[in-house]
Amino acid sequence: MPMMQPQSRSRLWWRIIPIGIALAVVAYQFLGAPQFINPETGRTARLGLSEQQESALGMQGFREVTAQARLLTSGPAYDQVRRVSGRLAAAMSDTVNFDWQVAVVDDPAQNAFCLPGGKICVYTGILPITKTDDGLAVVLGHEMAHATCHHGAERVLHQNMTQTAMLGVQGSFADLDYQQQRTIMGLLGAGAQYGVLLPFSRSHESEADLVGLKYMARAGYDPREAVGFWRRMAEASGGSKQPEFMSTHPLHETRIRQIEEWLPEVMKERPAGGQVER
Ligand SMILES: [Zn+2]
């Protein structure tokens, strides 16, 4: 039986030790991260940022966006965005303690987002697709839910953990030549992207859809409007179809199917009688 050369045995250790250390650090990063139990879904998330860090980052981003944008401060579009976001915010659990702020940007981009800590930006280009208060509530409910579910902070933790693991692998292959190292890191990077980070961001999308529908329903909007809105959004995006596994946003059909499945449950969240004063 051939004996293992002492040299190759020690080389094996040099491969294993950096990965072992990295995994220990990853475990430490994960276990040491603050937990957030989502009151809407019951899911426990671990976060890479504190609430203070989140709101500081959100505020910074909000200032950067609004500094360069043409902002509306009055008029029907501005009033609509304020009205709908205000009603959604009032329909949330008491555990949400955001200082909500709204910017309406006069810009044809079909875009809207909510930064961590509750800083909302709506581009007027999306309003022809949202059409009504209910349609706008679909978008704002979804975007505000990303913030209240702390998806940004959870993503920071995932990225930190991925980075640590990659450093460990890099350390263990430090003896290989540059081209080989690049190949290994490239493969691993793609693996992390498609195997870990993208599936997580798709699960964030679907959580934001569900939580947004609940906010809508409780605020007295009609969650069934979500189906029409996402259909219009699909048309507006010109039916551009990336394979689903490569995209952060689920395919429109998948999203619509899932929303239709949730609707019976979500409709129960509507106030008694189903009608709310507008
Ligand atoms: Zn989203």
Side-chain angles (χ1 to χ4, degrees), residues 142-143 146 205 249 255:
H142 175 94
E143 296 303 332
H146 274 309
E205 283 309 307
H249 278 68
R255 161 171 263 153

Side-chain angles (χ1 to χ4, degrees), residues 50-218:
S50 68
E51 284 216 27
Q52 289 86 335
Q53 287 171 317
E54 267 192 291
S55 63
L57 273 175
M59 196 62 228
Q60 189 192 336
F62 193 66
R63 286 209 190 97
E64 280 165 20
V65 173
T66 53
Q68 306 161 9
R70 199 165 55 227
L71 299 179
L72 300 181
T73 51
S74 63
Y78 177 77
D79 291 344
Q80 189 191 29
V81 172
R82 285 206 59 119
R83 175 172 67 241
V84 175
S85 58
R87 268 178 50 178
L88 289 168
M92 292 174 185
S93 122
D94 300 337
T95 54
V96 179
N97 273 319
F98 285 176
D99 175 21
W100 296 100
Q101 270 179 269
V102 176
V104 183
V105 182
D106 186 16
D107 186 300
Q110 294 160 346
N111 196 13
F113 53 85
C114 178
L115 295 167
K119 309 294 179 243
I120 301 166
C121 294
V122 176
Y123 292 70
T124 50
I126 204 168
L127 299 177
I129 307 173
T130 57
K131 287 185 188 293
T132 59
D133 280 21
D134 294 277
L136 183 58
V138 178
V139 175
L140 289 179
H142 175 94
E143 296 303 332
M144 291 162 88
H146 274 309
T148 59
C149 297
H150 302 282
H151 288 161
E154 194 177 22
R155 198 167 55 237
V156 167
L157 180 68
H158 293 156
Q159 280 164 350
N160 291 347
M161 287 164 57
T162 307
Q163 215 163 23
T164 308
M166 301 268 292
L167 278 174
V169 175
Q170 200 166 24
S172 80
F173 289 101
D175 58 322
L176 299 185
D177 71 48
Y178 176 71
Q179 209 38 280
Q180 287 172 312
Q181 285 192 39
R182 264 186 60 138
T183 308
I184 291 174
M185 296 316 284
L187 284 171
L188 269 176
Q193 186 68 12
Y194 293 115
V196 182
L197 299 174
L198 280 178
F200 255 108
S201 89
R202 282 197 300 270
S203 77
H204 285 170
E205 283 309 307
S206 92
E207 188 170 66
D209 277 341
L210 175 60
V211 173
L213 290 175
K214 289 186 177 190
Y215 292 159
M216 268 187 90
R218 269 182 239 142

Side-chain angles (χ1 to χ4, degrees), residues 12-31:
L12 185 66
W13 277 110
W14 282 116
R15 294 250 186 275
I16 291 171
I17 288 170
I19 295 180
I21 294 172
L23 289 180
V25 177
V26 167
Y28 175 80
Q29 284 176 312
F30 180 76
L31 296 171

